[in-house]
Amino acid sequence: MKTVAVGLSEKEAFALSLLLRKLQPEGAFVAQSLGAATQGGDLYVIDADAWVHEHGVEQATAHLRGLLQGRPVVLLMAPHVPDSTEQAQADAQKAAWTAQGWVVLRRPFRAEAMRQALDAAAAHAASAPADHVATPDDGGHSAAQAQAQAHSDAPATAPLPFDTTASQRSRTSAFFSSAFFATTVQGPASQPAPAGGAGFPPPEITNAQLSLGEFTASLATSPSAECRHFLGALAQRLAQPGPFEMSFTMINGLVFDANQGWVASNTPMSVLRMVARSRSLGAHVKIVDLDADAEARRRAEQRGMTAYPLGAMLHALARVADCQLPVTAS
């Protein structure tokens, strides 16, 4: 099973990949922007609001039909809005997409709601004729889809962790429930996941560097217990011989070679910060030892990673943890 996410934010794509990693351990996952040529997949998760903004209200459904060709999809829509006219338009659009046989999920939602939506989309595709694309005239509903639609319209059970006003203006979305990450990796949670510095831009990788010793010493000054725990474990592994890969999801990770003094990454610093500041997410990071420097470089190239000096990455990670940096840091 190959799932293709289209138009989702970094955080949404990362959270979805974590969920799919549990539901489909052998499956493939690809996340891409709206502007890129969409890859073929078995199931799609698409930011419907961003899709309409990109293609226009009149052409959005036709473009979706052309992309999907009868394959299952979960369309993510913004929450209910106070403006009655806008809400009526959104409800009409949702009804039209539902009539196509597509599953629509309103934000915010927990991991369980997304799981049900994915199951409903797959169930509907399995029950429909292989050469049939549902149209508004034939309905295209399945019992599983109807259940997911009812669930998607249920009132939100957790507040939004992001600035929804900015997201609605740009029509790019970040409307996961604040409990999404906790419910994804641990099951139902009574407390929201840590915010992880939400609202502040993540640090960039610069020319400033820390040695491993300086990095390790600075971690004691981090105000975040989660960062001290996660980055402390990384520092311990870096002190051991041999290159290794740190894997977050099917697509995100880093390759470290402390002996050669480099690290390669295809993971945004915003994701690194999110993982470092969440004990539950950090517990699901996988460490895989690599045999030699040549294997490490091949692995980094295969995953399309960018190489950096190890010291520069350590300096950025220390800033992720809000550590007090040594004055002599180069």
Side-chain angles (χ1 to χ4, degrees):
M1 170 74 75
K2 179 179 180 181
T3 302
V4 179
V6 181
L8 275 63
S9 67
E10 285 180 359
K11 288 184 177 181
E12 285 185 313
F14 178 65
L16 179 60
S17 69
L18 284 178
L19 178 61
L20 290 172
R21 188 174 182 176
K22 289 188 65 180
L23 300 178
Q24 305 167 9
E26 304 302 322
F29 175 77
V30 175
Q32 59 182 98
S33 63
L34 279 172
T38 306
Q39 297 191 26
D42 303 302
L43 187 151
Y44 292 82
V45 178
I46 299 176
D47 185 324
D49 299 315
W51 184 273
V52 170
H53 182 69
E54 176 79 9
H55 297 285
V57 176
E58 301 298 328
Q59 297 298 321
T61 299
H63 280 289
L64 274 174
R65 280 201 300 264
L67 167 65
L68 298 172
Q69 296 295 315
R71 288 169 293 192
V73 64
V74 175
L75 298 173
L76 306 181
M77 292 188 72
H80 292 280
V81 294
D83 185 282
S84 58
T85 301
E86 289 187 13
Q87 187 58 57
Q89 293 173 345
D91 290 342
Q93 183 67 80
K94 177 178 181 291
W97 284 336
T98 299
Q100 295 284 335
W102 302 335
V103 176
V104 180
L105 184 61
R106 287 193 186 276
R107 301 175 171 98
F109 49 83
R110 293 174 179 259
E112 177 60 18
M114 173 59 82
R115 184 194 65 75
Q116 291 184 9
L118 293 170
D119 288 347
H124 176 75
S127 64
D131 59 349
H132 173 68
V133 179
T135 65
D137 293 330
D138 63 24
H141 268 283
S142 69
Q145 182 186 1
Q147 180 182 2
Q149 294 301 327
H151 187 95
S152 69
D153 285 332
T157 54
L160 300 179
F162 310 111
D163 178 359
T164 61
T165 304
S167 296
Q168 289 170 345
R169 281 199 305 265
S170 66
R171 292 302 182 188
T172 57
S173 306
F175 285 110
F176 275 104
S177 160
S178 62
F180 182 92
F181 294 102
T183 57
T184 295
V185 298
Q186 291 184 322
S190 58
Q191 297 295 327
F200 295 93
E204 297 179 354
I205 300 174
T206 65
N207 292 328
Q209 298 192 36
L210 288 178
S211 68
L212 179 56
E214 290 172 330
F215 174 70
T216 304
S218 72
L219 292 179
T221 68
S222 171
S224 167
E226 290 78 12
C227 285
R228 294 196 301 271
H229 175 81
F230 179 78
L231 296 178
L234 172 61
Q236 290 179 5
R237 179 57 188 86
L238 286 169
Q240 301 172 16
F244 63 95
E245 179 178 8
M246 175 182 284
S247 179
F248 298 154
T249 69
M250 292 176 283
I251 57 175
N252 291 114
L254 298 93
V255 172
F256 291 89
D257 192 335
N259 293 337
Q260 298 296 321
W262 62 268
V263 57
S265 173
N266 63 1
T267 304
M269 289 303 297
S270 58
V271 171
L272 287 175
R273 177 174 64 181
M274 184 169 25
V275 173
R277 289 178 174 269
S278 170
R279 185 69 65 98
S280 58
L281 291 179
H284 285 258
V285 171
K286 293 183 178 179
I287 299 291
V288 179
D289 292 332
L290 303 174
D291 290 337
D293 177 64
E295 182 186 356
R297 291 185 183 276
R298 281 197 303 271
R299 182 62 175 160
E301 290 173 0
Q302 289 170 356
R303 301 194 69 175
M305 295 179 172
T306 302
Y308 303 95
L310 176 61
M313 178 63 76
L314 295 181
H315 193 280
L317 290 175
R319 284 180 287 135
V320 161
D322 295 325
C323 296
Q324 296 179 17
L325 301 177
V327 201
T328 55
S330 58

